[in-house]
Amino acid sequence: MRILVFNAGSSSLKFGVFDRARGAGHETTQILKGSFERFRDGACAYSLEVGSHTEGGQIDHADIAAAIEAVPQLLADHDIKGIEAVGHRIAHGGPDFAAPATLDGPALAKVEALTPLAPLHNPANLQAVRVARRVWPDLPQVGVFDTSFHLSNPPRVHTYAVPQAWRDAGLRRFGFHGTSHKYVAERAAEALGRPLAELKIISVHLGNGASVCAISLGKSLESSMGLTPLEGLVMGTRSGDVDPGAFGYLNRQLGLSIAEIEEALNKDSGLKGLTGSADMRDVEERAAQGDPAAQMAINLYAHRVRKYIGAYAAGMGGVDAVVFTGGIGENSPSMRRRICDGLDFMGLHVDFDRNQQVRLKDRAAPQIQSYGSRVAVLVTETAEQLQIAREVAAYLDRPMARAVPIPVAVSGRHVHLAEDSLKALFGPGYELTVKKPLRQPGNWAAEERVTLVGPKGQIEHVAILGPLRKRTQIEVSRTDSFALGIDVPVRDSGQLDGTPKIRLVGPHGQIDTDGLIVASRHVHMHPDDAAAMGLEDGQNVAVRIGQGDRALTFGHTLIRVQPNAFTEMHIDTDEANAAGIGPDWEGEVIDLEAHLDAV
Ligand code: ADP
């Protein structure tokens, strides 16, 4: 599939053409890369790379619209034919766009409505879409949203502690640079030769805009930008974190209006506000020549990033890799050093020579930690256009699941025991008594019960499910977690590293063991059913349960294909209660969340 990608900013247009191979691996390669910027007096600067051919200079395009209109001729000049879709970067997708979407009239109206949340970005993105729809009326125009990746952030991360009425009006954290953070995390996992789903990664994107993202086991847990791209790090012209009390103070002391304060926080702050220049190269140059304002700006910039890395390591309960990207992250060895030098305490050490010698050609992702550093440190170029092309292709290629009814089973709280736990709780040589078989072949409920004890309360008579497993796993609902008084993460079964401890009490003794989770909802699938529905193991889907007014759609539902599985969706008691689901209900897979796993 051949895809044209546009990334339109307020004053520049980057674009690329990508070929996505069909079949295994889905390798995506860039065949053209171009940009138009510095529009002035009816002309602009342009650069173009096609294979080994490069060109650049001034060209007569008055604005971004004119530049886009000239792209068909430009492609024809380089004999590039057969574009099948146009992909667009859209900065703010709000709470609704969790995946790429076709930019038809209703979708564009939604994006337009989000403009107040990204006033610098969304209008430029939308203008590019409108022009592209005119120029290529017969091609699908697909939006990939900077915010989508972060919609997996839990409520504790995306909620501001403000009055209910404000939250009802839509005030919440979103996070941006999602396409970049996702690409960088996948690239880092590839470079480390480990599955992304097993890693805790902190992605540090330092360009004109800048943000840090904690990616826990493949999902964005938190990022430093918030409702708008203003929160978080010090940026080229944006302040990053500022006490919101500043608004009242500046209004009273300087008589500034809200609009004036916002404008200054977005356009005259950050490096520019501190030094007069928004460009880190200038700032580093001036600092080296002794300019105290530039020196302070560099220290402040690095301190803020380091603070976020420490916070996100704590938020994830550890970190395996820190990855630098963006113009500053990729090109400034001294900034990388300044940020990392304070992090020895958490086992992160940068190697002097490796950090100096970073070369990033051909998607390289060199590691720059010193020998023995527990945390890996990588540098890689971000490739937002490439990632957009991948996501557009995966979206257009997604198998349309055929609706087949799936029985829904409600799992009460239960425990899977490992051999050593059984021994400690019930005594040496003890064997569980099978009470009744479960629908998943080979699984059964035992006669025996255990008690869960937490710092706030205890839950008695908790079911034990057999057979024994390698690791003890305790599955409770979120409501149970508050009854116990423990913060319990939502995890897929078996993903137990870093999970909290709970005390289990049996007739023979008690143990304190980790393995306490709220199980992610999932669908067990027989391979034949998966094939019939066009689904694969590991994909996430949306499942609709119920009809009419009572219909409820569960997103982020994991498909688990296992030989001999009895096809059945598992939800917990909280989910069942929320939806008023009773026995013998059925669900229907209605969509594939292509952005999550298919790319
Ligand atoms: P954008 O976010 O607009 O894509 P970039 O990712 O290109 O921007 O980052 C631009 C920033 O990177 C600028 O502050 C620029 O000064 C900085 N930068 C680029 N090269 C270097 C370098 N060699 N040393 C320090 N900073 C650099």
Side-chain angles (χ1 to χ4, degrees), residues 318-337:
V319 54
D320 300 301
V322 172
V323 196
F324 286 97
T325 194
I328 299 169
E330 292 160 21
N331 297 305
S332 174
S334 63
M335 184 50 77
R336 291 193 298 260
R337 267 292 296 278

Side-chain angles (χ1 to χ4, degrees), residues 139-257:
L139 295 185
Q141 309 276 336
V142 179
V144 175
F145 303 85
D146 269 23
T147 41
S148 296
F149 185 49
H150 305 301
L151 287 181
S152 55
N153 292 180
R156 77 189 61 185
V157 165
H158 69 63
T159 308
Y160 289 116
V162 296
Q164 177 78 45
W166 297 9
R167 284 178 280 137
D168 291 346
L171 199 78
R172 54 160 284 178
R173 307 188 73 247
F174 288 101
F176 301 84
H177 285 148
T179 311
S180 170
H181 289 305
K182 184 174 176 184
Y183 167 79
V184 159
E186 284 176 2
R187 182 68 194 91
E190 189 185 33
L192 293 169
R194 292 181 58 190
L196 183 59
E198 287 177 8
L199 291 168
K200 293 175 181 169
I201 294 178
I202 298 177
S203 160
V204 185
H205 179 126
L206 308 177
N208 284 315
S211 70
V212 188
C213 181
I215 300 138
S216 179
L217 314 180
K219 292 193 178 138
S220 166
L221 175 77
E222 176 155 10
S223 67
S224 56
M225 285 174 172
L227 174 75
T228 73
L230 186 54
E231 192 176 329
L233 302 181
V234 175
M235 306 179 217
T237 63
R238 281 171 257 168
S239 61
D241 294 334
V242 168
D243 181 348
F247 274 76
Y249 178 81
L250 290 169
N251 175 257
R252 287 187 298 273
Q253 295 299 116
L254 302 183
L256 296 179
S257 68

Side-chain angles (χ1 to χ4, degrees), residues 1 3 18-30 186 190 363 386-387 389-391 393-399 536 539 594 597-599:
M1 184 183 294
I3 297 159
F18 298 84
D19 276 343
R20 160 103 157 179
R22 297 192 192 264
H26 298 302
E27 188 69 25
T28 305
T29 45
Q30 182 154 21
E186 284 176 2
E190 189 185 33
R363 296 187 61 227
L386 172 77
Q387 183 69 14
R390 286 176 174 175
E391 300 207 12
Y395 168 74
L396 293 173
D397 260 356
R398 73 198 188 285
E536 290 170 20
Q539 284 177 328
D597 293 295
V599 176

Side-chain angles (χ1 to χ4, degrees), residues 516-540:
L516 180 63
I517 63 170
V518 173
S520 328
R521 52 182 165 258
H522 53 273
V523 181
H524 291 283
M525 277 225 164
H526 190 277
D528 294 348
D529 291 329
M533 287 189 230
L535 293 172
E536 290 170 20
D537 187 47
Q539 284 177 328
N540 275 288

